[in-house]
Amino acid sequence: MKIVDLRSDTMTLPTDEMIEAIVNAHKSNRFGDDVVREDSVVNELEEKAARILGKEAALLVTSGTQGNLVSLLSQTYRGDEIVVERQSHTFKFEAGSMASMGGLFPKPVEGVRGYILPETLQEVISPDDTHYARTAMVVVENTHNYAGGAVITKNQVDALAEVAHDNGLKVHCDGARLFNAAVALSVSAKTLVEKADSVMICLSKGLSAPVGSLVAGNEEFIHEARRTRKRLGGGMRQAGLIAAPGIVALETMVDRLKEDHENAKLLYSRLRNIPGIEIEEPDTNIVFIGLDNLPVDSLELSNRLREQDILIYGGYGTRSRFVLNRHVDREDTLRVADAVEGILKVS
Ligand SMILES: Cc1ncc(COP(=O)(O)O)c(C=O)c1O
């Protein structure tokens, strides 16, 4: 039976067109040493990303984690304080990198579906007093993974950015899934980050490229980010091998994200009928279910689904996450719904 993998949209494999793009770039002699800016494919990808994101410049980085860290380190000083949402990726899932690598002090705050309310930000900005760390930045995660792929609208981002900028803070957008937000809201990605000083996007999640993320912002930021990337060991040589599929990802993989969103809604519409389940209608491609009222935890659910060739991660306690992606079609989604219903209704 086909294995249906819902662990993450990072599991998506490159398309034939992506592999062909690597071969074509090689045949056209386009690869070079990107540390000295001689890889024309990387240069093309960075220019394209900057244009799409409405920023002056962009920089290819190895991963989303590196992109977030590069963005933070390039715009702050050691000892500064960074306001992050309590369940955000930068705070919870990046191995404490802002503290360990940058001496930055995360200030986690409670959001509403992943969104830090402007009044919450206003309240937590430290006074300009030597007793306190200087509050230097706020991070917006859009979509917000742990809040179930929740979208943050342009008005919400702008309102938060206004408070941040009025108080001298920078705004960084962790846009690992920014295109999911843009597609769900039917707006361009650039409108969502217009007020952000820096943005990170991932090519290797729903967009199916094998490797790579980009950071974007003004020329000054990117100049500094290039040095920070080097410092972190992220200066790459013939990185056109990564950039070629990345260009295809940006050109061909954004619009289809709506299929993942439709399948997420389909899964939700089936699972919501299971007695005792906790579930929220997904905005994008991520469905979380709460199992508090059910006799099965996420580990057991993942083990029992695995017996039916369906993969989810099992480490979320009494929550389970299903991430819809390009390799999971409507029929697979219905199979997953049947399997989950079968396990949870009879347990
Ligand atoms: C919201 C968010 N930000 C950042 C990242 C980090 O990306 P990477 O796994 O490429 O380091 C992820 C990865 O899943 C993510 O979900």
Side-chain angles (χ1 to χ4, degrees):
M1 212 182 323
K2 173 183 171 185
I3 293 177
V4 180
D5 195 343
L6 297 142
R7 287 172 298 172
S8 176
D9 42 13
T10 57
M11 301 296 167
T12 47
L13 298 173
T15 62
D16 291 348
E17 203 184 330
M18 291 179 186
I19 303 299
E20 281 158 21
I22 298 172
V23 174
N24 290 339
H26 170 62
K27 284 186 182 152
S28 321
N29 229 353
R30 294 192 60 200
F31 298 139
D33 187 336
D34 180 51
V35 171
V36 291
R37 316 279 295 271
E38 285 183 8
D39 191 301
S40 70
V41 191
V42 174
N43 295 341
E44 181 187 333
L45 172 65
E46 291 178 346
E47 279 159 27
K48 182 183 269 296
R51 221 169 26 248
I52 290 172
L53 296 169
K55 300 295 181 197
E56 287 174 13
L59 178 74
L60 178 65
V61 291
T62 59
S63 67
T65 301
Q66 188 181 63
N68 283 333
L69 186 58
V70 161
S71 302
L72 267 54
L73 298 188
S74 302
Q75 299 179 91
T76 57
Y77 297 100
R78 288 187 79 78
D80 280 352
E81 177 176 86
I82 313 287
V83 180
V84 285
E85 204 279 328
R86 198 169 67 84
Q87 304 285 9
S88 65
H89 202 276
T90 30
F91 179 53
K92 281 189 85 165
F93 303 116
E94 297 186 4
S97 59
M98 75 170 85
S100 62
M101 311 299 283
L104 296 168
F105 178 51
K107 191 177 227 180
V109 299
E110 188 79 43
V112 179
R113 297 191 79 230
Y115 175 59
I116 300 171
L117 295 173
E119 51 270 35
T120 306
L121 177 63
Q122 187 71 64
E123 263 168 38
V124 301
I125 294 171
S126 298
D128 185 11
D129 173 321
T130 53
H131 289 87
Y132 301 103
R134 189 178 69 108
T135 316
M137 183 185 270
V138 61
V139 179
V140 188
E141 185 175 312
N142 200 8
T143 64
H144 193 290
N145 169 29
Y146 211 82
V151 299
I152 298 178
T153 64
K154 174 176 170 52
N155 284 348
Q156 287 177 311
V157 178
D158 290 0
L160 186 66
E162 191 176 337
V163 172
H165 290 150
D166 284 352
N167 289 277
L169 275 64
K170 298 280 188 194
V171 177
H172 172 64
C173 174
D174 173 349
R177 297 187 183 80
L178 184 70
F179 294 105
N180 291 89
V183 165
L185 292 164
S186 301
V187 298
S188 65
K190 78 168 100 167
T191 62
L192 293 174
V193 293
E194 196 187 340
K195 299 288 161 64
D197 300 282
S198 56
V199 50
M200 183 282 290
I201 56 162
C202 287
L203 302 169
S204 60
K205 299 201 164 58
L207 302 189
S208 299
V211 189
S213 294
L214 289 133
V215 295
N218 66 23
E219 296 278 4
E220 195 187 341
F221 161 67
I222 291 297
H223 180 74
E224 192 55 32
R226 199 173 286 283
R227 177 175 286 115
T228 310
R229 182 188 68 171
K230 187 79 180 126
R231 206 176 270 146
L232 295 172
M236 295 173 281
R237 304 299 177 177
Q238 286 73 40
L241 278 157
I242 296 172
I247 291 169
V248 177
L250 289 178
E251 284 175 350
T252 67
M253 290 287 137
V254 172
D255 291 344
R256 66 148 306 285
L257 292 173
K258 62 178 176 302
E259 291 167 33
D260 301 341
H261 300 178
E262 280 162 17
N263 287 331
K265 287 212 187 328
L266 176 65
L267 185 62
Y268 159 78
S269 72
R270 287 283 304 274
L271 300 189
R272 66 198 282 258
N273 300 319
I274 296 173
I277 202 166
E278 286 162 29
I279 190 166
E280 256 191 60
E281 183 165 0
D283 290 341
T284 56
N285 67 326
I286 300 178
V287 180
F288 267 101
I289 58 174
L291 304 170
D292 269 330
N293 307 319
L294 291 157
V296 173
D297 66 10
S298 76
L299 187 59
E300 186 178 344
L301 181 61
S302 73
N303 287 338
R304 296 198 30 204
L305 286 173
R306 187 177 282 271
E307 290 165 8
Q308 301 184 50
D309 290 328
I310 296 167
L311 306 183
I312 60 169
Y313 283 131
Y316 285 95
T318 56
R319 291 180 90 208
S320 288
R321 187 182 78 155
F322 301 79
V323 185
L324 282 298
N325 64 75
R326 186 168 65 82
H327 302 306
V328 180
D329 62 19
R330 191 183 154 82
E331 203 181 311
D332 301 328
T333 308
L334 292 172
R335 194 178 122 206
V336 173
D338 287 343
V340 176
E341 271 176 7
I343 294 166
L344 296 183
K345 278 192 170 163
V346 297
S347 293

